Amino acid sequence: MNKIFYALLTAVTFASCAESYNIQGSTSVSALDGSKLYLKTMVNDELKNLDSCDVVHGKFKFAGLLDTIKMASLYMDDEPLMMPVVIEQGDIEIHIDNTNRTVSGSPLNEKLYEFMKRHDQLGNELNELSHKQSQMLLEGIDENVINRQLSAEANRIAMQEDSLVTNFIVDNFDNVLGPGVFMMITGSYQYPILTPQIEDIMSKATKKFKADPYVKQYYQVANEIQARQNGLVEDVQPTPAPAQENNETPDSTRNAR
């Protein structure tokens, strides 16, 4: 009897000491009310359900034990909501409305969404250039002058965006944010390619970052494809990019530079 008691006590003590995650969510989007939401993560190149809950009167909640910090994606049924969520200890809050989506309340989520906010600002600046072009044409400014000025501004924004993304990944090589954002910027490529930005990131990468399953596979396949394109090995059909989560992808990093 004493052995059973101590075994139960040990189990309860272990459970009480185990880390857990607690996610409270709210939404004003009527289409989400009554739907089922899922947190999905990559496991062995497959998207697996980590947790699920129902949206009731604009409120939802995820909670569970945390074996390791991981990056997840928020889904409504099988439809991605384009919201990465870091599953970590703490009281995490998700807010979704028609104009804004945020995750806050824990260190890595705060850091991720601050980065995404700045990235969105640069994207808006880039999109604003087309409106600026129309305004300048209406003002009668010479088209060549407009093109030179706006091209310079577009290059400036692109360089800022490159620097923002690269520095963020480098600063987070050894936590889930580095590989997670790397997955985002490579997500739209038809197959793995080596852009100057990716080469720069990998030249600075730590062993832990290089050992991440997605990063390792992407970089290996990208090098193999480049070798074939350079005629160094026999040409075969390009391998598709590694499987990934449908997180929000930084727009201006989608095209190879």
Side-chain angles (χ1 to χ4, degrees), residues 13-202:
T13 302
F14 177 79
S16 64
C17 294
E19 292 187 352
S20 61
Y21 64 90
N22 179 48
I23 303 174
Q24 300 281 349
S26 63
T27 178
S28 59
V29 180
S30 58
L32 291 178
D33 215 39
S35 65
K36 198 170 192 68
L37 300 183
Y38 295 86
L39 285 173
K40 300 191 178 191
T41 61
M42 292 300 300
V43 179
N44 298 325
D45 289 337
E46 291 186 21
L47 203 56
K48 300 288 188 180
N49 292 338
L50 173 68
D51 202 350
S52 64
C53 67
D54 295 314
V55 181
V56 180
H57 303 307
K59 304 291 184 182
F60 56 94
K61 179 179 180 179
F62 299 101
L65 293 179
L66 181 67
D67 56 349
T68 183
I69 296 174
K70 60 190 69 177
M71 184 82 84
S73 297
L74 189 62
Y75 279 71
M76 181 179 70
D77 297 322
D78 290 326
E79 179 183 348
L81 296 181
M82 300 303 178
M83 287 191 70
V85 182
V86 180
I87 309 301
E88 61 180 329
Q89 191 175 24
D91 294 321
I92 300 170
E93 295 183 5
I94 297 177
H95 179 70
I96 306 171
D97 60 34
N98 290 317
T99 59
N100 196 28
R101 299 178 180 188
T102 60
V103 181
S104 60
S106 65
L108 294 182
N109 279 303
E110 296 277 1
K111 184 182 289 189
L112 175 61
Y113 275 80
E114 185 63 32
F115 158 77
M116 291 173 63
K117 179 180 178 181
R118 177 55 183 151
H119 192 277
D120 287 345
Q121 289 172 345
L122 291 174
N124 291 336
E125 288 182 31
L126 195 61
N127 292 334
E128 184 63 24
L129 293 184
S130 61
H131 174 69
K132 191 172 183 179
Q133 181 185 39
S134 299
Q135 287 293 111
M136 294 173 76
L137 286 171
L138 288 174
E139 293 170 5
I141 300 175
D142 182 78
E143 191 169 350
N144 290 327
V145 173
I146 294 174
N147 289 338
R148 283 197 301 271
Q149 181 177 331
L150 296 187
S151 291
E153 290 189 35
N155 288 334
R156 174 187 60 79
I157 295 170
M159 289 177 63
Q160 286 184 321
E161 192 270 346
D162 258 8
S163 178
L164 175 71
V165 172
T166 299
N167 289 339
F168 185 84
I169 293 175
V170 170
D171 290 344
N172 294 280
F173 271 150
D174 294 337
N175 63 58
V176 296
L177 296 183
V181 172
F182 183 87
M183 183 183 293
M184 292 181 195
I185 70 170
T186 58
S188 64
Y189 300 151
Q190 185 177 2
Y191 55 87
I193 58 175
L194 295 177
T195 67
Q197 183 182 37
I198 292 174
E199 292 277 34
D200 182 35
I201 290 169
M202 295 307 296

